[in-house]
Amino acid sequence: ASDVDKGQPHYVLLHEEEKRLNDLLDELILGCPFQYCIGTSRFMELDLSVGPGVLIPRPETEELIEWVLAEKSASITTVWDVCTGSGCIALALKKAQSDWLIKGFDISKQALAVARKNANDLSLEVSFEEKNVLDWSNNRQQCDLIVSNPPYVLPSEKIKMHTNVLEHEPGLALFVPEEDPLVFYRKIIEIASTCLSKSGCIYFEINPLLVEELIALG
């Protein structure tokens, strides 16, 4: 309520507000991530809608965007965010570089619905397209920059993960086969071989356990 937002220490919650607060507390006790409970996540000064079926944006992904922006060249016009999820990468880049033409790709209809809502709510002109990266066929589309935070968590790492992640966030956006953990990276590099401009670049977020293997792919 507005009085609560203004910091009124003696404000008495309305019945509806009290019920909502109790419902939120119940969800938190059951392990639901806080961002899902409130329906939003703060990311690069953007308030993004999130919910079950879409990965909650992480601080390390902010570092990825800062890296891209720090090294950006004047030749960039078209950018692809592969495995876009909530659209956090695409939207943060568009906010910083309004002249870039940015498109996000994802296999999940649920994630794409959230990404499109975020673009609309933030009045950022980013397009999103449903596409299975692993079944991506050659096409005539071209881009100057590919950024991706694909699934990279090994199933063997589950033992170290919090239950609020395992039981609530989408496994589709998290896990890769133990026997082929770089499957998405290999495919994206293959896509880049035909779709990326000659001066183009690829930026990845990567599992620290797989850095050497990814470098070897290059």
Side-chain angles (χ1 to χ4, degrees):
S2 58
D3 287 338
V4 176
D5 294 338
K6 294 175 183 177
Q8 299 296 324
H10 302 296
Y11 179 82
V12 178
L13 293 175
L14 300 175
H15 174 72
E16 294 80 4
E17 295 169 335
E18 183 177 356
K19 182 179 185 305
R20 176 56 180 154
L21 179 60
N22 287 330
D23 288 344
L24 287 173
L25 291 173
D26 288 342
E27 291 174 14
L28 288 169
I29 290 170
L30 292 173
C32 183
F34 177 73
Q35 293 90 336
Y36 285 176
C37 291
I38 63 173
T40 61
S41 180
R42 188 70 172 171
F43 183 83
M44 296 289 289
E45 300 184 357
L46 300 176
D47 289 320
L48 300 175
S49 293
V50 293
V54 63
L55 196 67
I56 296 169
R58 265 53 171 191
E60 51 267 33
T61 307
E62 294 185 348
E63 296 178 16
L64 174 65
I65 293 169
E66 290 169 352
W67 179 28
V68 172
L69 294 174
E71 295 187 351
K72 68 181 185 296
S73 71
S75 63
I76 297 173
T77 58
T78 305
V79 179
W80 291 353
D81 172 18
V82 181
C83 303
T84 191
S86 65
C88 61
I89 292 175
L91 295 168
L93 289 176
K94 185 65 175 181
K95 180 71 173 179
Q97 294 290 143
S98 60
D99 57 324
W100 286 358
L101 301 174
I102 303 178
K103 179 177 286 189
F105 301 94
D106 207 286
I107 191 176
S108 168
K109 288 183 173 63
Q110 194 169 2
L112 289 169
V114 172
R116 291 179 180 123
K117 179 181 186 304
N118 283 324
N120 183 66
D121 290 347
L122 296 167
S123 299
L124 292 171
E125 192 174 343
V126 174
S127 61
F128 295 97
E129 182 178 328
E130 183 181 345
K131 190 176 286 290
N132 183 348
V133 174
L134 299 182
D135 288 336
W136 190 307
S137 58
N138 291 336
N139 56 48
R140 296 182 179 179
Q141 295 184 73
Q142 293 285 307
C143 68
D144 305 305
L145 178 66
I146 294 176
V147 188
S148 184
N149 176 22
Y152 60 62
V153 181
L154 302 171
S156 57
E157 295 183 86
K158 287 183 179 182
I159 192 171
K160 298 180 292 184
M161 297 172 68
H162 293 294
T163 56
N164 65 335
V165 174
L166 290 174
E167 295 179 3
H168 295 275
E169 295 196 67
L172 182 68
L174 287 167
F175 296 106
V176 287
E178 192 82 30
E179 67 279 5
D180 192 11
L182 296 180
V183 57
F184 284 93
Y185 298 89
R186 191 169 56 254
K187 183 60 181 181
I188 293 169
I189 291 171
E190 178 187 322
I191 293 167
S193 69
T194 58
C195 296
L196 195 63
S197 62
K198 291 183 178 179
S199 60
C201 296
I202 311 174
Y203 288 82
F204 285 126
E205 184 171 322
I206 181 65
N207 187 333
L209 298 174
L210 303 172
V211 170
E212 292 185 6
E213 289 87 342
L214 177 59
I215 292 173
L217 278 183

